[in-house]
Amino acid sequence: MVGVPLVCCVLVAAVVLLDAAWYVAVPVVFAVSGGFEWAWDRYANRRSAQPNGTDGPEGH
């Protein structure tokens, strides 16, 4: 039973790393989502400011 402490140590290390990864991943996801919303808003505003008439169904 020499490998039991090693397995326990590896499991604890994996859990700690996964826990730390959550603390990093959650703010990253929020930042990426907020950046996408900001960029999409800018894109939509710029697109709606162009009076080319191709946005609606009647545009040719």
Side-chain angles (χ1 to χ4, degrees):
M1 290 295 227
V2 178
V4 172
L6 182 65
V7 170
C8 287
C9 192
V10 168
L11 282 174
V12 168
V15 168
V16 168
L17 285 175
L18 282 172
D19 196 39
W22 273 108
Y23 285 108
V24 174
V26 169
V28 166
V29 168
F30 274 107
V32 168
S33 178
F36 180 79
E37 288 286 333
W38 174 77
W40 186 263
D41 200 39
R42 278 192 59 185
Y43 169 75
N45 285 339
R46 193 178 62 212
R47 179 126 187 223
S48 65
Q50 293 175 349
N52 53 11
T54 58
D55 289 334
E58 69 274 354
H60 296 292

